[in-house]
Amino acid sequence: MIRTLLGPQNRNLWFWVFVGPFAVGLALFTYVPLLWSLWLSFFDAHNTVTPTDFVGLDNYATMLGDDAFLRSLGTFLLFSAFIVPATYVLSLGLALMVNRVRFAQAFFRSVFFLPTACSYVVASLVWKLSVFNGVRFGLANTVLGWFGADQTAWLSTTHPPWYWLVIVTVRLWLQAGFYMILFLAGLQRISPRLYEAAAVDGARPGWQTFRHITFPQLRATSVAVVLLLVINAFQAFDEFYNLLSDSRGYPPYARPPLVYLYYLALGSEQNLGLGSAGAVILALIIAVATIVQARWFGLGRKED
């Protein structure tokens, strides 16, 4: 077995030296927890990770009939309706703008990409304590005060639900630069000859060229960006938890699936069986949604 892995004359030795630790870490911290979560979902696991009471599919039936869990999925759909098109439009606009810059293009790429390196937790706390603070020294309320507007408790006002503005803007600031880089890569793959041929045919630069040449050529990149945005929206946790929770706990509104499962599995109930079943259901939803979108947009299909 060892000789097979190392290959003839130990040619694969350095491959396993460099890859082996990462493979072991991936197995221990990703695949083992996933399999363990799947195993727990078939047991009545209250306050234990080694249950013995097998319940079959009862946990799944309970979660699918749980109104709070279904409402959390509705929160995800609403969040996706905001963040997916907003990020798509903003990142594409930034990519088009940076791509047209004739000088210091690397500088502008770095500036817009830099927020991607920021932690979601840190960004959420900055938004909560400095930008959208509900008292007089918050930046948003300070600017509104210049125009005579009243102070707004951004994260606790539910009518209208101003907390969505805080949640969406922090995610938008954090991830737009990453998808801008993807669109920039797609733009740089477009052959200049297409634009030259369009100019010869009388196409005007601007909207007409973008609509008939640039945007169709970005089809594959657009599909990948939309898929990644939807998957990332499903996995939203840090910004919701750090923006809306306080010493009193988490409010009853705006609970995405991961926040609800966190409190179900690690809160006062400590119901790891139901939490694991909900996590498996969420993973299956993500997988199905990804496959459906990929088939719908023709991901991997050869271009005509």
Side-chain angles (χ1 to χ4, degrees), residues 43-49 51 59 264 268-274:
F43 289 83
D44 181 11
H46 278 86
N47 301 310
T48 180
V49 293
N59 286 331
L264 179 64
S268 58
E269 294 187 31
Q270 292 281 311
N271 197 326
L272 298 174
L274 287 179

Side-chain angles (χ1 to χ4, degrees), residues 1-139:
M1 179 65 178
I2 296 179
R3 287 187 176 183
T4 302
L5 292 175
L6 294 179
Q9 298 179 355
N10 295 338
R11 290 181 179 178
N12 297 335
L13 175 62
W14 288 109
F15 170 81
W16 290 111
V17 167
F18 288 105
V19 175
F22 295 99
V24 172
L26 182 65
L28 288 178
F29 298 107
T30 301
Y31 294 120
V32 170
L34 285 174
L35 294 175
W36 202 341
S37 179
L38 179 63
W39 180 72
L40 285 174
S41 68
F42 296 105
F43 289 83
D44 181 11
H46 278 86
N47 301 310
T48 180
V49 293
T50 56
T52 57
D53 188 7
F54 181 78
V55 296
L57 298 176
D58 288 354
N59 286 331
Y60 291 91
T62 301
M63 291 303 298
L64 291 175
D66 186 356
D67 290 338
F69 180 64
L70 297 179
R71 285 197 300 271
S72 73
L73 295 177
T75 299
F76 153 73
L77 293 176
L78 186 59
F79 179 59
S80 297
F82 284 133
I83 197 62
V84 173
T87 305
Y88 182 92
V89 172
L90 179 60
S91 57
L92 178 58
L94 290 175
L96 292 170
M97 181 179 65
V98 172
N99 192 55
R100 292 178 63 88
V101 171
R102 300 304 178 187
F103 62 93
Q105 189 178 95
F107 169 77
F108 288 106
R109 270 204 314 263
S110 301
V111 167
F112 292 123
F113 182 77
L114 191 59
T116 305
C118 183
S119 166
Y120 274 70
V121 176
V122 173
S124 299
L125 292 178
V126 170
W127 249 243
K128 181 178 182 177
L129 300 177
S130 299
V131 180
F132 288 99
N133 197 308
V135 295
R136 63 183 182 275
F137 53 79
L139 177 61

